[in-house]
Amino acid sequence: MSIQLSDCSYGKSSVRVKKLIRKDHHHEIVEMKVTVLCEGDFQATYESGDNRAILPADTQKNMIYIFAKTHPLNSIESFALALSAHFLEENAQISRVTVEVDQPLWQAIPVGGQAYPFACQRAGSEEWCCRVERNRDGLVLRSGVQQLQILKTTHSGFANFKRDAYTTLKDTNDRMLETVLTAWWTYGDMVEDFVQTRQEVLRRLLETFATHDSLSVQHTLYAMGQAAMKAVAAIQHVQLEMPNLSNLAFDFSPFDLSDERDVFIVSSEPQGVVRGTLRRTNA
């Protein structure tokens, strides 16, 4: 019996970059967290310590900063596509590269009712993200959003579910629905403007969340994914994750106060987890 290395990879993770883009009348901040993972013919370095095929992770870090300098950063997708192409073009020993980019969002600070051109603030916890997986035969591009906290106060219920000896949950036809949305969509075809496409996908996801008469989180997740795919023909599939964050109405009955379900106990854990992927089919 012999022991062999079945697969291997290495790279540089969580490289933090912040770029100041000076426009004619205002400044913009683009922040990114970039991870690169390389696969290829690296067996010798694992088995015998021969490092001649290894492009140092520190060099990869430098490449990320140089590309941030020379690339217009009009979208994280175009940045990840350009960076991944460079790795394969300049390194014959690399057969596959994955580039992941997370982008925290910054927005101008309002001063006197107008966006101040030279100062900004973090736009909440929401992050844009993308992932490029590229080999010698082609690539897969995914875009997404994460840590997007959303809430609707009504038009949400959960009833007529399966019960057994352990069930204590009661039916409800009117509840608060809160989640932290993670959404990924995979492109079947490239688009000209990734930022505009992202904004359209997010608009469809959020409008559907807000207006859908929800019979469950699963019910709304499906409607959201369907709306996004109908709006953007270039998307091949959409993957959504929507944890069900609990907001429990406080019981005022012992205090002789009317129960109008307007004060809630916030509970971050435990939480329900709901995931789903919608794909286009030829049927």
Side-chain angles (χ1 to χ4, degrees), residues 127-144:
E127 291 186 347
W128 292 359
C129 44
C130 76
R131 179 186 177 102
V132 174
E133 299 176 14
R134 186 190 289 267
N135 59 26
R136 301 291 171 182
D137 299 320
L139 63 89
V140 175
L141 170 61
R142 296 199 304 160
S143 295

Side-chain angles (χ1 to χ4, degrees), residues 76-129:
I76 56 175
E77 287 85 358
S78 61
F79 175 83
L81 287 168
L83 184 62
S84 62
H86 177 83
F87 272 95
L88 291 186
E89 289 168 0
E90 299 297 326
N91 295 276
Q93 78 281 14
I94 297 177
S95 60
R96 182 184 184 91
V97 61
T98 300
V99 177
E100 300 177 355
V101 184
D102 296 339
Q103 181 185 11
L105 303 180
W106 291 86
Q107 63 185 18
I109 294 175
V111 176
Q114 300 293 327
Y116 190 74
F118 309 121
C120 54
Q121 62 188 17
R122 278 289 299 272
S125 60
E126 174 189 352
E127 291 186 347
W128 292 359
C129 44

Side-chain angles (χ1 to χ4, degrees), residues 168-210:
T168 58
L169 187 67
K170 297 180 181 179
D171 284 355
T172 179
N173 295 312
D174 188 14
R175 65 174 181 174
M176 185 182 295
L177 174 57
E178 182 178 1
T179 189
V180 179
L181 174 66
T182 299
W184 286 96
W185 51 95
T186 301
Y187 287 99
D189 299 302
M190 293 295 104
V191 297
E192 292 184 4
D193 190 328
F194 288 107
V195 173
Q196 183 180 13
T197 302
R198 179 190 298 277
Q199 291 171 342
E200 178 64 13
V201 171
L202 292 179
R203 184 175 74 85
R204 298 290 181 159
L205 291 174
L206 294 178
E207 285 183 355
T208 305
F209 174 83

